Amino acid sequence: MADKGSFSFFLSVCVVSCLVVNADYTASATVGQLFVYELQREVFQSEFRTFQTDFIPYLTHYGPINIHPMAFKCSKEMYPDLPRWLRFTQRETSENGFLYGTPLEEDVGRNTIELVIVNKQTYDTFKDRLVITVTSPGKFMPYQAEFFMPLREIEIVLPSTVREDIMRDVQDMWGTENLEFVNITSALDRGGRVPLPLLGHFEGVYVKVGTDQYFSECLLRLQSSGHRQQCEATGTSKEDCSVCWDKSNCVNWCKSVLFDLSIPVIPTPAPTPGSGILDADDFYDPPDSLPSREFWADYLVTVIVPLVLALILCLILTYIMCCRREGVEKRDAKTPEIQLYHQRTIHNNSDELREMAGGRVVPPPLSTLPMFNAHTGERMPPLQRPFGADSSQIPLIMAQEEPNTDTLPR
Ligand SMILES: *[C@@H]1O[C@H](CO)[C@@H](O)[C@H](O)[C@H]1NC(C)=O
């Protein structure tokens, strides 16, 4: 018995680890309907363990439930970005990521997505593949409605439980169970603004739902003219018949729209191109005379006014520079006389100063005398000078010690 048990345990370990290691993840999507794939961190965490081979994946089901923070990088295989219809979102590394979007006809077939998963706790990196098979045709859903939920954020709306809650509200409004999600978009992707990081501020989410059943009475009120007028005037509508069991799922009735795709859209006829050549007798007749334009006002403003201003400025400057110089007004512009007067006073003053200096009793400072030795204070007596010697024969600098040598008096 024990042998059998351990053998089956071993077998299941092998099977599980083979499956986990080798299999790509698969998912399927339908054209025109919302596709959501949740990248669950616990799933990838168990993959990391099999990767390290020191854990048995079988046991991780009972193992510690400490889910590591993870970052995902998703792209189309061999391409740098995701396919156009698919978007990825993950708010925090401590939360799951979501791949979501609505495939179109041209996306039918296998869409292989490469996932790079970085475990932000151990910094292990792991590469995996997700194969999304898009099938066509989807359900025929000519009647669609889009609701704006101002109190929601995309990552909070994408989990299936919240989507079910929203769907229940819409089912109540529409009166049918036969509804499908067509598109879920963050308001930020539609030009919405990033809200303040405060409690009670949300990005907002657009939810588009479709069915083959015609709109209910309640929904048709969205098209009444009274509703539109009220929305334009006040921003709220009395025609609001929306249901919200959960306050955060309440819709903004004024920003909700109906789409009736059952009415065929008549394509506008393309313009028929001509031959590109004028007929022989058709010729271009230019008009004889153009209506004359009046330029007088322009001329006045651009030429005359600045000219007059410049002239006035010039006159003012001339007056200031020539007629109002200091002293001129007193002496009636006899300029040479003033200059002579200045010169005379300077001359008289310096004469007076010299006289005063000559009458000083205090002996003049030694440094002013000739042949004074600045170091020794010694001075050559004027008697040494040969009487009547020509002053040009006395050396200007007496033979003495170099001022920089150490022969200064101690
Ligand atoms: C879904 O919404 C996005 C964003 O507004 C848009 O780009 C995309 O075309 C929509 N898809 C469909 C199928 O309507």
Side-chain angles (χ1 to χ4, degrees):
M1 283 298 277
D3 266 344
K4 217 175 178 183
S6 60
F7 176 71
S8 63
F9 172 77
F10 174 73
L11 201 70
S12 47
V13 166
C14 278
V15 168
V16 168
S17 53
C18 285
L19 282 179
V20 169
V21 171
N22 295 332
D24 292 333
Y25 293 98
T26 56
S28 58
T30 316
V31 167
Q33 286 178 30
L34 182 74
F35 164 83
V36 180
Y37 189 88
E38 188 167 358
L39 298 168
Q40 289 169 328
R41 286 169 302 131
E42 52 262 55
V43 172
F44 293 106
Q45 188 166 327
S46 62
E47 283 218 13
F48 279 120
R49 289 181 178 172
T50 62
F51 203 51
Q52 290 163 359
T53 64
D54 53 354
F55 279 93
I56 300 171
Y58 193 82
L59 295 181
T60 58
H61 292 285
Y62 311 101
I65 313 295
N66 167 28
I67 302 169
H68 294 176
M70 277 178 213
F72 301 95
K73 191 175 182 307
C74 313
S75 62
K76 190 175 171 177
E77 197 179 33
M78 315 291 279
Y79 286 86
D81 205 356
L82 283 170
R84 197 182 305 172
W85 64 275
L86 202 58
R87 280 161 280 158
F88 171 74
T89 180
Q90 184 190 18
R91 182 132 306 210
E92 306 272 351
T93 51
S94 56
E95 286 166 26
N96 287 343
F98 290 93
L99 279 166
Y100 68 103
T102 312
L104 301 172
E105 272 305 332
E106 61 254 35
D107 305 310
V108 168
R110 275 165 64 94
N111 291 251
T112 309
I113 309 298
E114 202 173 72
L115 309 171
V116 177
I117 308 121
V118 183
N119 185 328
K120 286 285 186 179
Q121 190 159 316
T122 61
Y123 281 92
D124 284 333
T125 305
F126 191 77
K127 207 162 161 181
D128 226 323
R129 293 206 310 172
L130 168 69
V131 179
I132 304 169
T133 313
V134 178
T135 52
S136 174
K139 272 189 192 164
F140 179 58
M141 298 189 288
Y143 306 110
Q144 301 186 350
E146 189 175 67
F147 303 103
F148 178 60
M149 301 185 173
L151 302 181
R152 281 299 195 190
E153 275 162 9
I154 187 82
E155 293 89 356
I156 297 171
V157 166
L158 287 175
S160 56
T161 49
V162 181
R163 269 185 289 150
E164 277 162 20
D165 285 350
I166 293 170
M167 191 49 103
R168 210 181 47 218
D169 290 350
V170 181
Q171 282 169 352
D172 281 357
M173 280 191 265
W174 212 307
T176 176
E177 304 250 302
N178 185 20
L179 286 162
E180 297 287 347
F181 281 107
V182 173
N183 210 348
I184 292 185
T185 325
S186 168
L188 297 186
D189 293 343
R190 297 265 201 105
R193 294 177 63 173
V194 177
L196 291 172
L198 296 177
L199 217 65
H201 287 73
F202 303 94
E203 289 163 6
V205 173
Y206 287 92
V207 176
K208 200 174 189 181
V209 174
T211 181
D212 55 359
Q213 188 163 326
Y214 194 63
F215 304 114
S216 65
E217 282 280 308
C218 160
L219 287 176
L220 281 173
R221 289 202 217 162
L222 278 172
Q223 288 180 327
S224 71
S225 57
H227 163 76
R228 251 175 263 148
Q229 280 165 8
Q230 276 173 14
C231 279
E232 271 167 32
T234 62
T236 52
S237 172
K238 286 207 189 77
E239 310 280 331
D240 190 343
C241 61
S242 60
V243 190
C244 46
W245 296 109
D246 185 343
K247 273 271 173 285
S248 350
N249 289 343
C250 288
V251 302
N252 182 332
W253 200 245
C254 278
K255 284 195 179 176
S256 301
V257 204
L258 301 185
F259 299 90
D260 190 346
L261 308 181
S262 62
I263 305 163
V265 182
I266 303 150
T268 48
T272 45
S275 64
I277 301 161
L278 280 176
D279 293 334
D281 47 336
D282 274 0
F283 70 96
Y284 177 65
D285 183 18
D288 287 339
S289 62
L290 291 167
S292 63
R293 268 184 69 189
E294 194 59 68
F295 288 109
W296 173 241
D298 294 351
Y299 176 70
L300 211 70
V301 170
T302 53
V303 179
I304 298 294
V305 171
L307 246 164
V308 169
L309 278 178
L311 207 74
I312 291 169
L313 276 176
C314 199
L315 287 177
I316 292 171
L317 272 176
T318 314
Y319 172 68
I320 291 171
M321 294 301 288
C322 302
C323 314
R324 285 198 60 88
R325 285 175 78 170
E326 207 177 327
V328 171
E329 49 193 339
K330 282 183 194 161
R331 286 180 164 265
D332 302 327
K334 290 177 186 165
T335 322
E337 217 167 273
I338 300 165
Q339 282 174 359
L340 279 179
Y341 172 78
H342 274 219
Q343 207 177 356
R344 220 177 297 132
T345 38
I346 292 167
H347 202 78
N348 291 348
N349 287 348
S350 49
D351 278 352
E352 200 182 328
L353 276 174
R354 268 195 211 108
E355 241 168 63
M356 282 160 74
R360 266 194 302 212
V361 195
V362 184
L366 293 179
S367 58
T368 59
L369 295 173
M371 303 312 160
F372 170 72
N373 188 327
H375 295 304
T376 57
E378 178 196 356
R379 113 170 104 107
M380 189 197 283
L383 293 177
Q384 269 186 12
R385 206 191 293 175
F387 186 73
D390 193 6
S391 67
S392 65
Q393 284 167 359
I394 300 170
L396 279 177
I397 299 170
M398 300 290 286
Q400 55 181 302
E401 289 89 12
E402 277 290 300
N404 288 337
T405 49
D406 256 0
T407 52
L408 292 173
R410 303 285 137 94

